Amino acid sequence: MKPPRAWQRMLSGRRLDLLDPTPMDIEIEDIAHGLAFVARWNGQTVGDYAYSVAEHSLLVEELFARLVPNASPDARLTALLHDAPEYVIGDMISPVKAAVGPEYEKLDKRLSAAIHIRFGLPAVTPARLKKQIKQADRISAWMEATQIAGFAEAEASRFFGRPAPGLIAGLSIRLRPPVAVRADYTARHHALLGQIG
């Protein structure tokens, strides 16, 4: 019996092996395109456009920079790429991840390592940096929950913690066409990469 196919053809023409990804098969254009079309909250959000993982990632990078004002460009790039594996494995809400079990996490880690190596970052994010990015991620989740996903502030605060008002001042959730988000995500990636090298 033939083993099941474990690779996906990307729009760039690359063939990405999901079980054994290599950095050479990863392109930012594929990541940006995939993330711009992957909906957070399983698409259960208000508005004419889904809130994409790419838009979320741009917000997390901005929040991370507010939390860590002296963050290096490579740390900010790590924040931008924190959900990059979802360009091929999708965005599962936390209850589904828990039900799927550790295999999802293993797949996510393999893809994340390949993505990081491709863009000159450490394969494994240092624990302190990971914690800081997770804090920005939770603030973004609170904003999303209260602005577009139907959560009351008290409920969102129980799950994600209430952010300090100063951290989110002037920021709001934006719902935009995927092509616009894709362009901004790609541009931000190039800008940060240019500051590193």
Side-chain angles (χ1 to χ4, degrees):
M1 192 166 102
K2 254 171 92 175
R5 178 171 66 91
W7 56 267
Q8 180 174 347
R9 178 76 63 196
M10 299 291 136
L11 288 179
S12 65
R14 298 285 190 186
R15 189 171 122 161
L16 181 67
D17 184 334
L18 301 179
L19 300 179
D20 188 22
T22 65
M24 293 307 298
D25 290 324
I26 291 165
E27 300 292 344
I28 192 55
E29 292 78 11
D30 293 330
I31 293 172
H33 181 82
L35 295 183
F37 284 88
V38 173
R40 286 197 32 99
W41 304 94
N42 282 340
Q44 296 301 304
T45 53
V46 299
D48 294 332
Y49 296 102
Y51 187 69
S52 72
V53 174
E55 192 78 80
H56 162 78
S57 297
L58 287 163
L59 178 58
V60 167
E61 191 252 330
E62 173 65 29
L63 289 164
F64 170 74
R66 289 180 177 204
L67 286 165
V68 189
N70 60 347
S72 64
D74 58 329
R76 290 185 72 162
L77 181 59
T78 304
L80 182 71
L81 294 170
H82 79 284
D83 278 340
E86 294 179 8
Y87 86 108
V88 287
I89 59 176
D91 179 42
M92 288 190 197
I93 60 173
S94 297
V96 175
K97 286 180 186 175
V100 171
E103 293 308 311
Y104 177 88
E105 188 177 351
K106 288 179 189 173
L107 183 60
D108 183 84
K109 283 181 177 178
R110 281 195 298 267
L111 283 163
S112 187
I115 290 165
H116 285 189
I117 292 167
R118 170 69 175 86
F119 300 117
L121 300 170
V124 177
T125 302
R128 184 166 183 263
L129 176 57
K130 188 171 185 171
K131 186 176 180 181
Q132 291 167 328
I133 294 169
K134 186 62 181 171
Q135 185 180 357
D137 191 40
R138 290 176 67 80
I139 295 168
S140 177
W142 185 91
M143 292 174 65
E144 296 162 29
T146 57
Q147 292 180 33
I148 59 171
F151 283 60
E153 285 194 12
E155 182 183 24
S157 297
R158 278 198 310 275
F159 287 110
F160 309 112
R162 181 180 295 274
L167 278 174
I168 60 175
L171 296 177
S172 61
I173 300 301
R174 298 190 297 171
L175 301 172
R176 302 185 291 153
V179 292
V181 182
R182 178 182 66 195
D184 284 355
Y185 186 94
T186 305
R188 186 64 188 142
H189 177 272
H190 288 319
L192 290 168
L193 207 56
Q195 291 173 34
I196 294 169

